[in-house]
Amino acid sequence: MTGRELILHDLGEAEAGAYLPAPGPGLTLFPALPRVRHCLGCFGCWVRTPGRCVINDRGADFAPLMARHDRLTIVSRLVFGGLSGPVKAIVDRSIGFILPFFDDRGGRMFHRRRYPASPGLRYFFHGPRFGSNLETAGRLAQANRLNFMAGSCEVAHFPDLAGLGEALAGPRAAPGGPGGALEGGRGLMASGGFSITGGLG
Amino acid sequence: MGDGASRRIGLALKAEIGKLPGAGEVTIVDSGGLAPEGLVGALRGSRAFVLAMPLYVDGLPSHLIDLLEGVGGNFPGLPFYAVINCGFWESDKNLTCVETLRNFCLESGLRWGQALAWGGGGMIPMAPPLGRWPLRGFLRELGILAGNVVGGASGPERFAVPDLPRFLYKVGANLNWYRLAMKNGVRFGDLRRRLDG
């Protein structure tokens, strides 16, 4: 079985065509634009339509899609050390991927998993950096990894989209695990752990 | 603002600010449906910007990201304060979001004031008013924040959780999901359904 990759991105149509790999067997692209409605905080994805957002637009498709892929790569403009609004709108509405019930792990409270496995996570930020934004983004990604119970998490920043495109053209995700090392020695490989790389491209 | 907890926090903070001499007018703006220009308009002439928000997937809710980007460099030196609440017990789970807001201030030229980081936020929409058990401590914290807002002062991050045992909060929170499922006519077994087929 080949790995299945899901790429959530906030690129426009022309940029996506130029820099993202073409979708096909084992690769799903999910554009954050045109943007979906923002999360209402209603918890309907937990207690009304479990596993799926109650708002009836394509944003509701994302949580079930996560469950069908081995790796999720989030391509986002770096905003204050976090995700861009359009990307975050998708992520906010994906908490149906996990259960509402709290469990303790390592003495701290987390939500329980809904699915037997979680995709590995990659955060590819693009655009200008400011101050310690990338470091904040690394901590955000690590928090997400713990909450979504991902086996791995990688964070990288690409000042220009050409570098991003090269990174995405690398090997596909391995089934049930993190992605392979990138070419050219600019790897940001982490297996079962966490890595952060800045200044690629 | 936005969710039930944030609205309650905003109203309670407004009341605490109102008790202080020299407080001035407090305007509460709901972020739901607000355009970036709307926030900029609301901030014009303000002495401080106070944000009350729930933690969304370890960070800012998406619509807030857009609103804050819209602030741009329009308000150099404006003091900024935040009250962030999360449903987890551990109040420090809000810290990455606090960092994000500090970055926002740095980029936008606002002056960092203070952040309150609250755990156990699931109780806030449901429990007795802030200031009564088990949320007495939360009102005390808002009083401290109100003093800094009115005085234009800064302060370190402050953390708070409800005044009850952690295990009780967890049991109550988990039972509450079943209560909400019943209210919505969802069978308990369906709460765990999978959609990966």
Side-chain angles (χ1 to χ4, degrees):
Chain A
M1 183 181 77
T2 56
R4 298 158 298 175
E5 175 137 20
L6 174 62
I7 298 178
L8 167 64
H9 70 91
D10 59 2
L11 303 185
E13 206 171 319
E15 290 171 328
Y19 297 112
L20 300 183
L27 178 61
T28 307
L29 299 189
F30 196 100
L33 298 168
R35 60 186 310 155
V36 302
R37 288 183 57 191
H38 66 76
C39 175
L40 300 173
C42 67
F43 299 128
C45 53
W46 283 339
V47 294
R48 279 176 64 190
T49 54
R52 187 180 175 88
C53 178
V54 299
I55 303 172
N56 191 21
D57 67 12
R58 64 188 184 88
D61 298 335
F62 195 75
L65 264 184
M66 284 175 66
R68 298 184 202 129
H69 290 79
D70 301 295
R71 185 169 69 187
L72 167 61
T73 298
I74 298 178
V75 173
S76 169
R77 195 165 48 89
L78 182 60
V79 181
F80 308 138
L83 301 170
S84 67
V87 168
K88 191 64 171 21
I90 302 287
V91 170
D92 287 347
R93 289 176 56 192
S94 71
I95 63 170
F97 178 75
I98 51 181
L99 290 174
F101 306 108
F102 290 124
D103 261 347
D104 283 333
R105 294 203 300 272
R108 289 169 70 79
M109 202 175 275
F110 293 95
H111 290 287
R112 252 174 244 168
R113 61 165 66 253
R114 181 183 299 273
Y115 298 97
S118 303
L121 295 176
R122 291 197 306 182
Y123 292 75
F124 283 2
F125 291 99
H126 62 90
R129 282 171 69 168
F130 187 93
S132 60
N133 279 5
L134 187 59
E135 286 71 26
T136 302
R139 282 186 274 281
L140 173 70
Q142 175 68 344
N144 285 177
R145 179 181 84 84
L146 292 171
N147 277 316
F148 284 113
M149 292 157 280
S152 65
C153 185
E154 305 165 30
V155 178
H157 174 254
F158 301 90
D160 63 81
L161 292 178
L164 169 72
E166 286 179 41
L168 286 170
R172 292 287 174 78
L182 300 175
E183 293 184 359
R186 292 173 297 171
L188 38 123
M189 175 64 193
S191 185
F194 181 82
S195 75
I196 177 170
T197 309
L200 294 184
Chain B
M1 291 264 284
D3 79 329
S6 300
R7 181 173 301 279
R8 254 192 162 190
I9 291 166
L11 290 170
L13 181 59
K14 179 175 179 175
E16 290 300 298
I17 289 173
K19 294 175 187 173
L20 301 173
E25 186 183 339
V26 176
T27 304
I28 292 184
V29 176
D30 196 326
S31 63
L34 185 69
E37 314 79 80
L39 176 59
V40 171
L43 288 174
R44 287 205 196 289
S46 297
R47 285 164 47 185
F49 176 11
V50 184
L51 175 67
M53 56 160 276
L55 190 71
Y56 268 45
V57 195
D58 307 302
L60 296 169
S62 62
H63 58 291
L64 258 184
I65 297 170
D66 302 324
L67 291 176
L68 296 183
E69 279 202 281
V71 168
N74 288 299
F75 304 101
L78 181 70
F80 177 83
Y81 305 84
V83 184
I84 310 166
N85 81 89
C86 71
F88 303 107
W89 182 257
E90 294 83 15
S91 51
D92 63 356
K93 288 204 174 191
N94 295 295
L95 275 180
T96 303
C97 189
V98 172
E99 251 186 79
T100 305
L101 291 171
R102 280 184 177 271
N103 294 337
F104 153 68
C105 285
L106 266 176
E107 278 194 53
S108 309
L110 274 64
R111 177 164 66 83
W112 180 258
Q114 188 170 37
L116 304 186
W118 292 356
M123 291 210 71
I124 298 174
M126 302 187 311
L130 299 179
R132 287 174 57 184
W133 182 87
L135 303 179
R136 257 193 304 257
F138 285 174
L139 192 66
R140 256 196 320 267
E141 293 295 310
L142 289 181
I144 293 169
L145 183 69
N148 286 335
V149 170
V150 173
S154 298
E157 275 79 276
R158 295 184 63 87
F159 303 89
V161 292
D163 184 22
L164 79 170
R166 181 182 184 279
F167 83 91
L168 209 56
Y169 174 80
K170 186 176 153 196
V171 166
N174 283 340
L175 286 175
N176 191 49
W177 299 120
Y178 289 110
R179 181 186 71 84
L180 290 171
M182 275 178 59
K183 187 178 163 192
N184 292 316
V186 173
R187 293 181 307 182
F188 290 172
D190 287 341
L191 285 172
R192 291 173 174 75
R193 73 173 184 178
R194 293 178 180 169
L195 302 175
D196 54 347

